[in-house]
Amino acid sequence: MGDVRLAPSLLASDFGQFAKTAAECRAAGAEFLHFDIMDGHFVPNLTFGPGVLAALRQRSDAEFDAHLMIERPEQWIEEFAKAGANRLTVQAEACIHLQRTLAEIRRAGMKAGLALNPATPLHVLDYILDDLDLLLIMTVNPGFGGQTYIPAMTEKIRQARTRLDAARHEILLEVDGGINGATAPETVAAGANVLVAGSSIFAHPGGVAEGVRSLREACRAG
Ligand code: DX5
Ligand code: ZN
Protein backbone atom coordinates (compact mmCIF):
# COMPACT_ATOMS: atom_id res chain seq x y z
CA MET A 1 0.00 0.00 0.00
CA GLY A 2 2.98 2.31 0.58
CA ASP A 3 3.06 5.28 2.93
CA VAL A 4 -0.06 7.28 3.62
CA ARG A 5 0.48 11.05 3.56
CA LEU A 6 -1.61 13.40 5.71
CA ALA A 7 -2.81 16.78 4.43
CA PRO A 8 -4.39 18.95 7.15
CA SER A 9 -6.93 21.33 5.61
CA LEU A 10 -6.47 24.89 6.91
CA LEU A 11 -10.15 25.60 6.20
CA ALA A 12 -10.98 24.10 9.60
CA SER A 13 -8.24 26.02 11.45
CA ASP A 14 -8.04 29.51 12.99
CA PHE A 15 -7.63 31.86 9.98
CA GLY A 16 -5.72 34.27 12.20
CA GLN A 17 -3.04 31.69 13.05
CA PHE A 18 -2.08 30.11 9.73
CA ALA A 19 1.68 30.46 10.26
CA LYS A 20 1.52 28.89 13.72
CA THR A 21 -0.83 26.18 12.51
CA ALA A 22 1.41 25.36 9.54
CA ALA A 23 4.37 24.97 11.89
CA GLU A 24 2.34 22.74 14.25
CA CYS A 25 1.22 20.51 11.36
CA ARG A 26 4.77 20.19 10.08
CA ALA A 27 6.13 19.44 13.56
CA ALA A 28 3.43 16.76 13.92
CA GLY A 29 4.74 15.10 10.75
CA ALA A 30 2.00 16.05 8.27
CA GLU A 31 3.52 15.83 4.79
CA PHE A 32 1.14 18.17 2.96
CA LEU A 33 -0.71 21.38 3.82
CA HIS A 34 -4.13 21.52 2.09
CA PHE A 35 -5.45 24.92 1.00
CA ASP A 36 -9.15 25.06 0.10
CA ILE A 37 -9.55 27.87 -2.42
CA MET A 38 -13.22 28.78 -2.93
CA ASP A 39 -14.71 31.55 -5.10
CA GLY A 40 -18.37 31.68 -3.97
CA HIS A 41 -19.47 30.56 -7.46
CA PHE A 42 -18.28 26.99 -8.03
CA VAL A 43 -19.14 26.39 -4.36
CA PRO A 44 -21.34 28.54 -2.05
CA ASN A 45 -18.40 29.64 0.10
CA LEU A 46 -15.51 32.12 -0.20
CA THR A 47 -12.13 31.50 1.43
CA PHE A 48 -8.68 32.85 0.44
CA GLY A 49 -6.37 33.22 -2.57
CA PRO A 50 -2.73 32.80 -3.63
CA GLY A 51 -1.62 35.64 -1.33
CA VAL A 52 -2.11 33.37 1.69
CA LEU A 53 0.10 30.69 0.15
CA ALA A 54 2.76 33.29 -0.72
CA ALA A 55 2.81 34.56 2.87
CA LEU A 56 3.08 31.06 4.31
CA ARG A 57 5.66 29.95 1.74
CA GLN A 58 8.22 32.12 3.52
CA ARG A 59 7.54 30.27 6.76
CA SER A 60 6.90 26.64 5.83
CA ASP A 61 8.67 23.89 3.90
CA ALA A 62 5.55 21.72 3.72
CA GLU A 63 4.22 20.45 0.39
CA PHE A 64 1.54 23.06 -0.49
CA ASP A 65 -1.49 21.22 -1.85
CA ALA A 66 -3.91 23.79 -3.34
CA HIS A 67 -7.47 22.59 -4.05
CA LEU A 68 -9.20 25.02 -6.41
CA MET A 69 -12.95 24.91 -6.00
CA ILE A 70 -13.35 27.81 -8.42
CA GLU A 71 -14.71 28.52 -11.89
CA ARG A 72 -12.17 29.01 -14.70
CA PRO A 73 -9.19 27.71 -12.64
CA GLU A 74 -6.96 27.98 -15.71
CA GLN A 75 -6.86 31.75 -15.13
CA TRP A 76 -5.06 31.24 -11.79
CA ILE A 77 -2.31 28.72 -12.63
CA GLU A 78 0.54 31.26 -12.90
CA GLU A 79 -0.56 33.06 -9.69
CA PHE A 80 -0.48 29.86 -7.63
CA ALA A 81 2.83 28.80 -9.14
CA LYS A 82 4.37 32.17 -8.20
CA ALA A 83 2.84 31.88 -4.71
CA GLY A 84 4.70 28.63 -4.16
CA ALA A 85 2.05 25.90 -4.57
CA ASN A 86 3.69 22.51 -5.14
CA ARG A 87 0.59 20.83 -6.49
CA LEU A 88 -2.54 22.36 -7.97
CA THR A 89 -5.81 20.44 -8.08
CA VAL A 90 -8.68 21.60 -10.29
CA GLN A 91 -12.27 20.36 -10.28
CA ALA A 92 -13.15 18.36 -13.39
CA GLU A 93 -16.59 20.00 -13.37
CA ALA A 94 -15.03 23.48 -13.73
CA CYS A 95 -12.78 22.70 -16.71
CA ILE A 96 -13.96 22.99 -20.32
CA HIS A 97 -10.47 22.16 -21.70
CA LEU A 98 -9.31 19.79 -18.98
CA GLN A 99 -6.32 18.19 -20.71
CA ARG A 100 -4.89 21.61 -21.61
CA THR A 101 -5.39 22.90 -18.05
CA LEU A 102 -3.57 19.91 -16.55
CA ALA A 103 -0.71 20.35 -19.04
CA GLU A 104 -0.49 24.06 -18.19
CA ILE A 105 -0.25 23.26 -14.45
CA ARG A 106 2.75 21.04 -15.15
CA ARG A 107 4.30 23.61 -17.49
CA ALA A 108 4.07 26.12 -14.62
CA GLY A 109 6.21 23.74 -12.54
CA MET A 110 3.53 22.23 -10.27
CA LYS A 111 2.16 18.72 -9.95
CA ALA A 112 -1.24 18.39 -11.67
CA GLY A 113 -4.24 17.24 -9.64
CA LEU A 114 -7.83 16.51 -10.62
CA ALA A 115 -10.74 16.53 -8.16
CA LEU A 116 -14.00 14.68 -8.84
CA ASN A 117 -17.21 15.59 -7.03
CA PRO A 118 -19.08 12.61 -5.55
CA ALA A 119 -21.45 12.24 -8.52
CA THR A 120 -18.77 12.65 -11.21
CA PRO A 121 -17.98 9.27 -12.80
CA LEU A 122 -14.44 7.92 -13.16
CA HIS A 123 -14.62 7.75 -16.97
CA VAL A 124 -13.45 11.41 -16.87
CA LEU A 125 -10.02 9.75 -16.43
CA ASP A 126 -10.21 7.72 -19.64
CA TYR A 127 -7.82 9.83 -21.77
CA ILE A 128 -5.88 11.92 -19.27
CA LEU A 129 -4.06 9.56 -16.91
CA ASP A 130 -0.73 10.56 -18.49
CA ASP A 131 -1.46 14.20 -17.54
CA LEU A 132 -2.17 13.47 -13.85
CA ASP A 133 0.04 13.41 -10.77
CA LEU A 134 -2.84 13.25 -8.27
CA LEU A 135 -6.50 12.25 -8.29
CA LEU A 136 -8.69 13.73 -5.55
CA ILE A 137 -11.89 11.80 -4.81
CA MET A 138 -14.24 14.18 -2.98
CA THR A 139 -15.92 12.21 -0.22
CA VAL A 140 -18.30 15.09 0.55
CA ASN A 141 -19.86 17.73 -1.70
CA PRO A 142 -17.29 20.56 -1.75
CA GLY A 143 -17.74 23.92 -0.03
CA PHE A 144 -17.54 23.32 3.69
CA GLY A 145 -15.61 21.44 6.35
CA GLY A 146 -17.25 19.33 9.04
CA GLN A 147 -19.49 17.33 6.70
CA THR A 148 -20.19 13.58 6.87
CA TYR A 149 -18.31 11.08 4.69
CA ILE A 150 -20.44 9.68 1.83
CA PRO A 151 -20.17 5.86 2.19
CA ALA A 152 -20.71 5.20 -1.52
CA MET A 153 -17.33 6.87 -2.14
CA THR A 154 -15.43 3.86 -0.73
CA GLU A 155 -16.27 1.78 -3.82
CA LYS A 156 -15.39 4.76 -6.04
CA ILE A 157 -11.98 4.95 -4.33
CA ARG A 158 -11.47 1.21 -4.92
CA GLN A 159 -12.30 1.54 -8.62
CA ALA A 160 -10.10 4.63 -8.92
CA ARG A 161 -7.17 2.75 -7.37
CA THR A 162 -7.52 0.04 -10.02
CA ARG A 163 -7.44 2.67 -12.77
CA LEU A 164 -4.43 4.50 -11.31
CA ASP A 165 -2.48 1.26 -10.87
CA ALA A 166 -2.81 0.70 -14.63
CA ALA A 167 -1.07 4.04 -15.31
CA ARG A 168 2.53 4.18 -16.50
CA HIS A 169 3.62 6.42 -13.59
CA GLU A 170 2.68 6.98 -9.93
CA ILE A 171 -0.53 8.95 -9.43
CA LEU A 172 -1.43 9.81 -5.81
CA LEU A 173 -4.99 9.00 -4.71
CA GLU A 174 -6.20 11.69 -2.31
CA VAL A 175 -9.50 11.69 -0.42
CA ASP A 176 -11.12 14.78 1.06
CA GLY A 177 -14.16 15.32 3.25
CA GLY A 178 -15.29 13.72 6.50
CA ILE A 179 -11.98 11.88 6.92
CA ASN A 180 -11.46 10.89 10.57
CA GLY A 181 -10.42 7.98 12.78
CA ALA A 182 -13.50 6.02 11.74
CA THR A 183 -13.50 6.64 7.97
CA ALA A 184 -9.75 6.86 7.28
CA PRO A 185 -9.03 3.11 7.57
CA GLU A 186 -11.63 2.13 4.96
CA THR A 187 -10.38 4.75 2.50
CA VAL A 188 -6.79 3.51 2.90
CA ALA A 189 -7.90 -0.10 2.56
CA ALA A 190 -9.70 0.92 -0.66
CA GLY A 191 -6.49 2.47 -2.03
CA ALA A 192 -6.22 6.09 -0.87
CA ASN A 193 -2.68 7.27 0.00
CA VAL A 194 -3.20 10.97 0.75
CA LEU A 195 -5.78 11.91 3.39
CA VAL A 196 -7.11 15.46 3.67
CA ALA A 197 -8.54 16.17 7.10
CA GLY A 198 -9.82 19.43 8.56
CA SER A 199 -12.17 19.11 11.50
CA SER A 200 -10.85 15.74 12.69
CA ILE A 201 -7.43 17.39 13.18
CA PHE A 202 -8.28 20.98 14.16
CA ALA A 203 -11.25 20.15 16.39
CA HIS A 204 -9.34 17.36 18.15
CA PRO A 205 -9.54 17.90 21.95
CA GLY A 206 -5.84 17.05 22.25
CA GLY A 207 -4.78 19.73 19.77
CA VAL A 208 -3.21 19.59 16.30
CA ALA A 209 -0.32 17.27 17.11
CA GLU A 210 -2.64 14.75 18.73
CA GLY A 211 -5.12 15.09 15.87
CA VAL A 212 -2.41 14.27 13.32
CA ARG A 213 -0.99 11.44 15.44
CA SER A 214 -4.35 9.78 16.08
CA LEU A 215 -5.34 9.95 12.40
CA ARG A 216 -2.04 8.32 11.42
CA GLU A 217 -2.57 5.71 14.11
CA ALA A 218 -6.09 4.98 12.81
CA CYS A 219 -4.69 4.35 9.33
CA ARG A 220 -2.17 1.87 10.69
CA ALA A 221 -4.68 0.06 12.92
CA GLY A 222 -7.39 -0.16 10.22
C1 DX5 B 1 -14.42 20.79 1.37
C2 DX5 B 1 -12.89 20.84 1.35
C3 DX5 B 1 -12.29 19.87 2.32
C4 DX5 B 1 -12.68 20.17 3.77
C5 DX5 B 1 -12.33 18.99 4.64
O1 DX5 B 1 -14.91 21.51 0.27
O2 DX5 B 1 -12.39 20.54 0.08
O3 DX5 B 1 -10.86 19.93 2.21
O4 DX5 B 1 -11.99 21.31 4.21
O5 DX5 B 1 -12.84 19.28 5.91
P1 DX5 B 1 -13.32 18.07 6.87
O6 DX5 B 1 -12.11 17.20 7.04
O7 DX5 B 1 -13.72 18.78 8.13
O8 DX5 B 1 -14.44 17.38 6.17
ZN1 ZN C 1 -10.13 20.29 -0.09
Side-chain angles (χ1 to χ4, degrees):
M1 180 57 62
D3 288 345
V4 173
R5 299 163 178 86
L6 298 186
S9 164
L10 290 177
L11 184 68
S13 73
D14 175 350
F15 278 28
Q17 302 272 356
F18 276 169
K20 175 172 171 286
T21 302
E24 285 177 331
C25 291
R26 201 77 188 99
E31 291 84 357
F32 289 11
L33 207 48
H34 188 78
F35 296 82
D36 285 311
I37 310 301
M38 302 181 188
D39 65 359
H41 296 284
F42 182 78
V43 288
N45 196 0
L46 187 61
T47 56
F48 40 77
V52 168
L53 278 80
L56 281 173
R57 188 71 285 171
Q58 320 301 324
R59 298 167 173 83
S60 171
D61 66 349
E63 178 94 355
F64 281 10
D65 175 35
H67 176 193
L68 271 55
M69 288 160 277
I70 66 174
E71 292 178 354
R72 293 192 294 282
E74 68 280 359
Q75 294 180 349
W76 290 91
I77 294 171
E78 283 308 319
E79 287 299 311
F80 277 94
K82 275 191 295 197
N86 300 100
R87 47 188 73 242
L88 198 66
T89 297
V90 294
Q91 294 276 163
E93 306 83 1
C95 295
I96 296 171
H97 305 289
L98 178 56
Q99 193 282 333
R100 181 168 68 195
T101 298
L102 294 169
E104 282 176 1
I105 291 170
R106 281 182 166 169
R107 259 200 300 281
M110 297 175 286
K111 298 287 189 188
L114 179 66
L116 305 183
N117 280 343
T120 303
L122 291 172
H123 68 65
V124 168
L125 303 175
D126 284 356
Y127 303 102
I128 52 157
L129 278 188
D130 286 346
D131 304 295
L132 273 191
D133 300 301
L134 176 142
L135 173 67
L136 168 49
I137 300 288
M138 290 304 295
T139 45
V140 296
N141 292 293
F144 299 91
Q147 300 180 77
T148 302
Y149 179 87
I150 299 171
M153 293 301 104
T154 304
E155 180 52 29
K156 186 175 181 180
I157 295 163
R158 194 172 290 115
Q159 292 178 22
R161 168 48 66 199
T162 304
R163 284 173 174 260
L164 299 190
D165 286 349
R168 290 184 286 223
H169 65 291
E170 183 190 21
I171 303 173
L172 296 179
L173 179 44
E174 185 174 57
V175 291
D176 184 2
I179 302 300
N180 54 40
T183 56
E186 77 180 77
T187 66
V188 171
N193 54 11
V194 183
L195 307 186
V196 176
S199 38
S200 69
I201 288 177
F202 296 110
H204 194 287
V208 172
E210 185 52 27
V212 171
R213 194 203 60 75
S214 59
L215 186 61
R216 182 114 41 208
E217 195 52 42
C219 297
R220 288 199 187 105

